[in-house]
Amino acid sequence: MAVELTTREEFAVLTLNRPEALNALSFRIIDDIGRAFDEVAKSKARALIITGAGTKAFCAGADIKELRNRDLIAQKRTAELGQAVFSKLDALPIASIAVINGYAFGGGLELALASTFRLATANAKVGLPEIKLGLIPGYGGTQRLPRVIGEARALEMIMTGRTVGAEEAFRIGLINRIVEGDPVTAGMAFAREFTGYSLPVLALARSAVKRALDVPVHEGLKIEADLSTLAFQTKDAAEGTAAFEEKRKPGFIDA
């Protein structure tokens, strides 16, 4: 199968398994990814880790041969499909970690951008090269990249189509860390830095930060007050504060 969804310990692992095509995204694969996200949303996984099979590519982007000779209606529907599927990833109740091992171009980088966190191996190379084909990103790249690295850097990457290596990607905030070894193992180790905490409260924290990007600061502060109050009402808040006073490790009930 080109899209494999498995479980490793407390984590869901989605692997793009098409190494002979550098894990490129066909329209069928995008559909399969969407169904996998639906399964993850209903699972008991504490985080989702996404990677690509092999050592050369996380995902080299769209399957270019499928883009030729398409009418405008079909092309728009394709863009809307990719956006809808990647928005499912963005909206998962648990955090997601894209471990970029090798190339992540076009739709591959857009998939990573929809993830909560991005890690990369030292050989990672990322970019949105659509401009070189007379196109622009269509699966969310023009919207998510500026939110991650800022407008000026995003415009440069999109309008030049240039490739960015792992070191530069880390420096500009496109990835969180450069990792070594097995990508899934690295993703699991990163996830364990936060998945031991209360999952409902982690979700509230993510919601507060994400919503801050869409509203003025004074509105964001209202959202923060509301969500922090919801967190305070959880059993985990009572357990966490009690554990602090008793100088012990908390045993989160909703974790």
Side-chain angles (χ1 to χ4, degrees), residues 207-245:
S207 178
V209 172
K210 288 168 64 176
R211 291 168 68 181
L213 299 174
D214 298 320
V215 297
V217 171
H218 68 279
E219 293 294 336
L221 290 172
K222 294 178 183 178
I223 291 170
E224 181 183 83
D226 290 342
L227 295 181
S228 65
T229 302
L230 287 176
F232 185 77
Q233 292 176 329
T234 65
K235 295 178 180 178
D236 284 331
E239 166 62 12
T241 52
F244 178 82
E245 290 186 3

Side-chain angles (χ1 to χ4, degrees), residues 25-28 30 62-82 135 139:
L25 297 172
S26 67
F27 302 145
R28 180 176 178 179
I30 292 174
D63 197 332
I64 301 300
K65 64 179 180 292
E66 290 190 341
L67 299 180
R68 301 193 64 189
N69 302 317
R70 292 171 59 78
D71 62 45
L72 296 180
I73 293 176
Q75 181 55 34
K76 185 178 181 183
R77 286 175 178 167
T78 298
E80 291 171 342
L81 170 65
L135 301 169
Y139 293 169

Side-chain angles (χ1 to χ4, degrees), residues 10-246:
E10 69 267 42
F11 304 112
V13 179
L14 189 151
T15 304
L16 300 178
N17 189 15
R18 198 187 177 199
E20 72 284 356
L22 299 179
N23 301 318
L25 297 172
S26 67
F27 302 145
R28 180 176 178 179
I29 287 174
I30 292 174
D31 273 329
D32 290 343
I33 291 172
R35 283 189 284 273
F37 290 158
D38 290 339
E39 289 186 42
V40 172
K42 295 182 290 186
S43 76
K44 295 183 179 180
R46 302 191 65 77
L48 168 64
I49 297 161
I50 305 172
T51 193
T55 59
K56 293 183 178 180
F58 171 77
C59 173
D63 197 332
I64 301 300
K65 64 179 180 292
E66 290 190 341
L67 299 180
R68 301 193 64 189
N69 302 317
R70 292 171 59 78
D71 62 45
L72 296 180
I73 293 176
Q75 181 55 34
K76 185 178 181 183
R77 286 175 178 167
T78 298
E80 291 171 342
L81 170 65
Q83 290 175 357
V85 167
F86 291 178
S87 290
K88 287 183 179 183
L89 173 60
D90 199 8
L92 283 177
I94 57 173
S96 54
I97 303 162
V99 187
I100 303 171
N101 51 323
Y103 302 126
F105 295 139
L109 180 55
E110 289 171 304
L111 174 61
L113 286 168
S115 302
T116 312
F117 301 105
R118 286 160 296 283
L119 312 181
T121 56
N123 69 327
K125 296 185 183 299
V126 305
L128 295 173
E130 286 89 344
I131 202 75
K132 297 178 181 179
L133 302 177
L135 301 169
I136 69 170
Y139 293 169
T142 65
Q143 304 305 301
R144 291 193 175 95
L145 186 62
R147 286 168 165 79
V148 173
I149 64 173
E151 179 184 352
R153 286 193 173 109
L155 277 171
E156 179 194 349
M157 284 186 63
I158 291 168
M159 294 178 69
T160 65
R162 74 180 182 89
T163 297
V164 173
E167 291 288 348
E168 182 180 359
F170 176 71
R171 178 171 55 80
I172 65 177
L174 183 49
I175 63 170
N176 296 87
R177 293 182 192 174
I178 298 174
V179 296
E180 298 178 350
D182 175 66
V184 175
T185 301
M188 291 168 61
F190 179 83
R192 288 198 180 98
E193 294 183 23
F194 57 85
T195 53
Y197 302 124
S198 166
L199 290 185
V201 176
L202 286 169
L204 290 172
R206 286 175 57 217
S207 178
V209 172
K210 288 168 64 176
R211 291 168 68 181
L213 299 174
D214 298 320
V215 297
V217 171
H218 68 279
E219 293 294 336
L221 290 172
K222 294 178 183 178
I223 291 170
E224 181 183 83
D226 290 342
L227 295 181
S228 65
T229 302
L230 287 176
F232 185 77
Q233 292 176 329
T234 65
K235 295 178 180 178
D236 284 331
E239 166 62 12
T241 52
F244 178 82
E245 290 186 3
E246 297 165 10

